[in-house]
Structures are given as structure tokens and as C-alpha cells.
Amino acid sequence: MQPIGWEDFTKVELRVGRVLSAEPFPQARKPAYILQVDFGPDIGVRKSSAQITVHYRPEDLVGRLVVGVVNFPRKQIGPLMSECLVTGFHDADGHVVLCAPDRDVPPGTKLL
């Protein structure tokens, strides 16, 4: 593992967002959802593709808080222009489990 400095870490804008919608993304190469995530008034709503179909149903995602990287360049994923990266961890079987705060915090709050 390569060490990084505090300045490198602070360049990554990890923000809390609230999922507004989650829809199947049938054009994705691997099973995924298209998420609309509200990152608060300063950042707004961003779209993302998330390969989280094993542990989550779309209806269970709406209203959930997630942590996303909001300062990556936009990326074309099939017909979707992804505008943020929703973060998570691989479980023992390699399926993604979302990274999320365990208490309610306002959308747009920066990870410290």
C-alpha cells in the first residue's frame, strides 16, 4: 500500500447523499441500478451506476443515505453519464455493500 499525505486525502470530495430513485440498468454489462442521489443544495442531484443488486432492491434504496465521491470526472457507462461514485465494500463473496453513515446527517456533509 502506498502512503498518501493529508493533502491528497482532502482532495477527494466524499459527501453524504440521499437516494431519490433507484431503477434497474438493463444495458449495464453487470447487474446494476441507476441511482439518483441528492447531495444537498451546493452539489445537487447526481446520477450513478451501482452494482449493488445482490444486497439491495430498488425500493429499499430510496431514502437511504450513501457516501459518494462527487469530484471525479463524469464517466460514460453505456447510455448513462455517471456523475459520481457511490462507495461500498466487497463482502466475503465479492458483492458490494454500501458505505453509509449510521446516523442521519444532512445531504452534502463532507466525510472528515
Side-chain angles (χ1 to χ4, degrees), residues 9-29:
F9 176 72
T10 60
K11 290 177 186 175
V12 181
E13 290 286 330
L14 286 157
R15 301 291 185 115
V16 171
R18 188 173 305 279
V19 177
L20 299 178
S21 68
E23 302 293 332
F25 187 13
Q27 300 91 342
R29 280 187 258 160

Side-chain angles (χ1 to χ4, degrees), residues 8-100:
D8 293 323
F9 176 72
T10 60
K11 290 177 186 175
V12 181
E13 290 286 330
L14 286 157
R15 301 291 185 115
V16 171
R18 188 173 305 279
V19 177
L20 299 178
S21 68
E23 302 293 332
F25 187 13
Q27 300 91 342
R29 280 187 258 160
K30 294 182 181 178
Y33 298 132
I34 296 173
L35 304 181
Q36 297 263 352
V37 183
D38 179 8
F39 288 101
D42 293 338
I43 297 167
V45 176
R46 302 270 178 104
K47 290 182 282 188
S48 184
S49 171
Q51 296 174 359
I52 55 174
T53 59
V54 170
H55 292 297
Y56 305 96
R57 297 179 305 165
E59 59 269 24
D60 297 330
L61 292 165
V62 175
R64 268 186 87 101
L65 293 176
V66 295
V67 176
V69 179
V70 297
N71 64 332
F72 275 150
R74 294 169 14 137
K75 182 177 181 180
Q76 191 73 45
I77 302 174
L80 173 74
M81 182 61 74
S82 181
E83 301 168 319
C84 65
L85 173 69
V86 174
T87 61
F89 302 94
H90 286 116
D91 67 12
D93 296 319
H95 304 294
V96 178
V97 176
L98 289 170
C99 178

